[in-house]
Amino acid sequence: QQQVKQSPQSLIVQKGGISIINCAYENTAFDYFPWYQQFPGKGPALLIAIRPDVSEKKEGRFTISFNKSAKQFSLHIMDSQPGDSATYFCAARPSGAGSYQLTFGKGTKLSVIP
Amino acid sequence: KAGVTQTPRYLIKTRGQQVTLSCSPISGHRSVSWYQQTPGQGLQFLFEYFSETQRNKGNFPGRFSGRQFSNSRSEMNVSTLELGDSALYLCASSQTGNYGYTFGSGTRLTVV
């Protein structure tokens, strides 16, 4: 019930291409969906986040698409660059008092090749 | 604005020992959460503190404990270390604990 399933595990994209990472969840109480980017030796850094009242949010080259009925959300990285090579994690947090924890997907290792 | 600071960055401990990790949140952030990151299990929630009170606890044994001080700094303690406790321990802070979690670079714990 608390799981967030992320795919693919790894992704190779040509420079300038679009990287797409997908996540699915079961718990309908989730109401906050952030994406994190992690470089080796660093902690995860918040990229972009969405609430279920909107279907899409864009920040620069990063876009979250959210499908509430399908319980799925995805990260699109436009014009992917070698500097985007990192591990990406989707996460979700349930609403309600006493729910101050993020449930993470297993991560996607993105490699952008020149 | 300084980020989340975790000390030490690296630790090597022997099985059976105990360890204390420290986290200084971003100034003004009152919520501090702790996560364990391993290659096999990924990122798993340990506990969350707000104004010195533990509000949430993950599914970890009682050997894992934490506390938060009046200045919002937090420590986590692991007693009777096991080989499986080897992991990257991450601290995240936010203003209220609801959104906008900022992570530190973590403490890499190796148990031998």
Side-chain angles (χ1 to χ4, degrees):
Chain A
Q1 187 75 354
Q2 291 293 322
Q3 274 188 326
V4 176
K5 295 182 179 178
Q6 184 171 347
S7 63
Q9 270 189 305
S10 61
L11 181 61
I12 300 174
V13 172
Q14 289 271 343
K15 178 183 174 182
I18 303 173
S19 304
I20 302 174
I21 304 170
N22 301 298
C23 284
Y25 64 96
E26 289 295 323
N27 187 352
T28 55
F30 286 146
D31 79 337
Y32 172 66
F33 303 88
W35 283 89
Y36 283 84
Q37 177 190 58
Q38 187 176 27
F39 292 104
K42 299 288 188 182
L46 179 63
L47 262 181
I48 185 172
I50 197 168
R51 301 286 306 277
D53 51 349
V54 297
S55 60
E56 187 175 281
K57 183 174 181 181
K58 183 176 179 179
E59 288 185 4
R61 297 185 293 110
F62 301 93
T63 300
I64 299 180
S65 296
F66 187 84
N67 186 329
K68 189 175 181 178
S69 60
K71 289 185 282 186
Q72 295 175 347
F73 58 111
S74 60
L75 175 70
H76 291 63
I77 306 174
M78 312 300 288
D79 187 27
S80 298
Q81 299 296 313
D84 297 330
S85 297
T87 300
Y88 292 80
F89 294 92
C90 62
R93 188 193 73 83
S95 62
S99 299
Y100 305 102
Q101 65 184 78
L102 290 171
T103 298
F104 283 87
K106 293 291 190 185
T108 297
K109 186 172 183 179
L110 171 65
S111 299
V112 181
I113 54 177
Chain B
K1 193 175 186 182
V4 177
T5 303
Q6 291 189 245
T7 56
R9 286 299 310 277
Y10 303 93
L11 265 179
I12 299 176
K13 289 287 188 178
T14 304
R15 214 168 20 169
Q17 287 186 313
Q18 76 164 18
V19 67
T20 299
L21 312 181
S22 180
C23 172
S24 293
I26 290 172
S27 178
H29 285 193
R30 296 169 64 189
S31 166
V32 174
S33 304
W34 288 88
Y35 290 81
Q36 182 196 64
Q37 185 174 26
T38 60
Q41 298 299 316
L43 282 147
Q44 293 188 286
F45 172 78
L46 281 155
F47 26 67
E48 188 264 357
Y49 288 87
F50 182 86
S51 292
E52 302 179 67
T53 299
Q54 185 184 91
R55 297 192 297 186
N56 255 157
K57 190 177 193 312
N59 191 25
F60 278 81
R63 300 185 296 106
F64 292 81
S65 63
R67 59 177 176 168
Q68 186 181 34
F69 302 96
S70 58
N71 62 357
S72 295
R73 192 178 69 84
S74 177
E75 289 180 348
M76 70 162 279
N77 185 78
V78 187
S79 63
T80 319
L81 284 165
E82 300 177 0
L83 296 178
D85 297 332
S86 295
L88 180 66
Y89 290 88
L90 292 159
C91 165
S93 76
S94 75
Q95 288 186 327
T96 62
N98 290 320
Y99 313 109
Y101 305 88
T102 301
F103 282 83
S105 292
T107 294
R108 171 74 61 186
L109 172 65
T110 302
V111 182
V112 297

